[in-house]
Amino acid sequence: MPYPMTFTPPFRLLALAGALLACATLANADDVLLVGNKADASVSALDTGSGQEMIRLPVGNGPHEVVVSGNGLLAVVGNYGAQGTANNSLSVIDWPTRTVVRTIDLGEDARPHGIRFLPDSQRVVVTTEASERLLVVDLAQGKVLDRIDVGGGKPHMVALSPGADRAYVSHVESGTLSVVDLLHKKKIAEIPTGAGSEGVAVTPSGTQVWVSNRDGNEVVIVDSKRLEVTDRIRTGLFPIRVAMTPDGKYALVTCAKSAELAVIDVVAKKEIKRIGLAREGAEYRRTMLGEEALPIGAVVSPDGKRVYVAISGGDEVAVISTANWTEKARWKAGPEPDALAIVVQPKEES
């Protein structure tokens, strides 16, 4: 593990208190879906049993991504800013107490976007488009520990290898994927992947990195050892995010412009289903990408039975069953939902 677990006492005590509260009051509760509402500077918490909003927390302007720690105690939101106005902060949410406990100023590193927790549940890696870096941020200390230059071309999303020794950063404008050695804190490779490389996900085995090329209407597969593209698979229009099922059998690609979710068999490297997500006659909000349904963020439930997709233009979340790849429900979200993450709630042993 590249970053050993260390805690500062106040933060640890808060986390411990929160964990005790969670165990006391939320046993057998349904998991919670966190939704970043870009046009509302907020994060909604939806009960996955009912789809009802439990709470809405204010965060910074333009929350583009949200992630949850492995222990389920913290969530971190990247406050990207709005068009023409950059932001440079992270909001830290203590989930058991339902409070924003810290706002971390990233200083010169503006436009934070892709975020992933490191295994210690205390540090995150964050891409910053304005400074063209990958940051390592300590949440307990509230400061940036490392700044790793990853180069230009709009570094956007990030994914981690299973052991968190490597980070993979997509670059939208240059159409490349950077490979970062987190042990030595340096970029070690840049792989040409395709026009508009944005979404990125790693298979559970760590052997493949999947990248969606939004301008090329395709996903590509990168061999993590050879560090080269081995396959290209056509998708719907403007594929913008990639999510993996927990068993690694399927890659799920949100296609924003054609308003579809593409389901791809990872072993066969073949699309098996395309689910339409636009509703006939529905009115959609105007966003930077147009006045359309615009599915963007996607996350899979820990048991692999559901996929949640943010319908940014419709202020909704689509709930899809993986048993037959059909939509089962639509839940109301806040204005322009995008980022999604799941808080796994403690369960009593039967």
Side-chain angles (χ1 to χ4, degrees):
M1 184 184 300
Y3 295 99
M5 185 180 294
T6 57
F7 291 94
T8 54
F11 209 78
R12 182 175 61 185
L13 290 174
L14 177 62
L16 178 59
L20 292 173
L21 176 64
C23 291
T25 63
L26 295 172
N28 282 339
D30 290 307
D31 291 340
V32 175
L33 181 69
L34 299 184
V35 185
N37 304 309
K38 287 199 296 189
D40 190 49
S42 69
V43 170
S44 297
L46 306 184
D47 186 302
T48 60
S50 65
Q52 295 299 306
E53 183 175 277
M54 303 163 58
I55 191 172
R56 188 177 296 189
L57 298 171
V59 293
N61 194 27
H64 275 227
E65 291 299 320
V66 57
V67 291
V68 174
S69 60
N71 60 16
L73 299 180
L74 298 175
V76 175
V77 182
N79 302 315
Y80 181 86
Q83 189 173 11
T85 306
N87 205 333
N88 66 339
S89 68
L90 304 178
S91 295
V92 182
I93 299 170
D94 177 73
W95 173 246
T97 60
R98 316 294 201 269
T99 54
V100 177
V101 292
R102 172 166 282 166
T103 299
I104 300 175
D105 189 331
L106 300 177
E108 65 191 62
D109 299 294
R111 296 287 192 194
H113 202 283
I115 315 172
R116 285 291 181 266
F117 261 96
L118 290 167
D120 59 17
S121 290
Q122 179 179 310
R123 298 178 178 93
V124 293
V125 292
V126 184
T127 63
T128 52
E129 290 181 1
S131 60
E132 300 175 345
R133 290 169 171 159
L134 181 70
L135 310 182
V136 179
V137 181
D138 188 297
L139 305 178
Q141 298 181 59
K143 70 176 185 179
V144 178
L145 299 180
D146 299 299
R147 292 179 165 91
I148 305 168
D149 292 326
V150 293
K154 196 176 180 180
H156 199 63
M157 302 297 290
V158 63
L160 295 175
S161 62
D165 56 337
R166 279 185 178 181
Y168 301 96
V169 177
S170 62
H171 297 250
V172 177
E173 293 178 355
S174 61
T176 58
L177 181 74
S178 289
V179 184
V180 177
D181 182 336
L182 290 176
L183 292 170
H184 297 93
K185 303 171 187 176
K186 66 179 182 179
K187 176 179 168 179
I188 59 174
E190 185 166 326
I191 306 162
T193 41
S197 295
E198 182 162 346
V200 59
V202 181
T203 55
S205 65
T207 58
Q208 296 176 354
V209 184
W210 287 55
V211 180
S212 67
N213 297 329
R214 68 186 202 185
D215 298 328
N217 300 324
E218 64 180 1
V219 288
V220 300
I221 302 173
V222 175
D223 185 294
S224 63
K225 290 185 178 179
R226 292 155 51 189
L227 297 181
E228 62 183 36
V229 174
T230 60
D231 299 274
R232 295 180 181 272
I233 303 168
R234 300 298 294 177
T235 65
L237 303 180
F238 214 81
I240 198 166
R241 295 287 184 272
V242 185
M244 290 283 168
T245 56
D247 58 12
K249 290 183 178 180
Y250 302 102
L252 310 171
V253 183
T254 51
C255 304
K257 287 291 187 179
S258 56
E260 298 168 314
L261 180 72
V263 182
I264 300 174
D265 185 303
V266 169
V267 173
K269 300 174 184 175
K270 180 180 179 181
E271 183 182 293
I272 63 167
K273 181 82 172 183
R274 198 176 293 183
I275 304 163
L277 296 170
R279 289 187 162 179
E280 187 175 351
E283 294 185 6
Y284 294 112
R285 70 164 50 244
R286 179 165 295 280
T287 72
M288 289 179 63
L289 296 178
E291 194 170 332
E292 305 171 37
L294 294 172
I296 298 183
V299 68
V300 187
S301 62
D303 60 11
K305 293 181 179 180
R306 285 179 169 185
V307 183
Y308 303 100
V309 181
I311 311 299
S312 291
D315 300 344
E316 298 174 317
V317 173
V319 183
I320 296 166
S321 169
T322 62
N324 53 9
W325 299 112
T326 58
E327 184 177 330
K328 296 300 183 183
R330 282 283 172 114
W331 296 340
K332 188 65 178 174
E336 200 177 350
D338 185 341
L340 301 176
I342 294 175
V343 183
V344 178
Q345 299 292 3
K347 305 292 191 297
E348 289 182 349
E349 294 184 4
S350 56

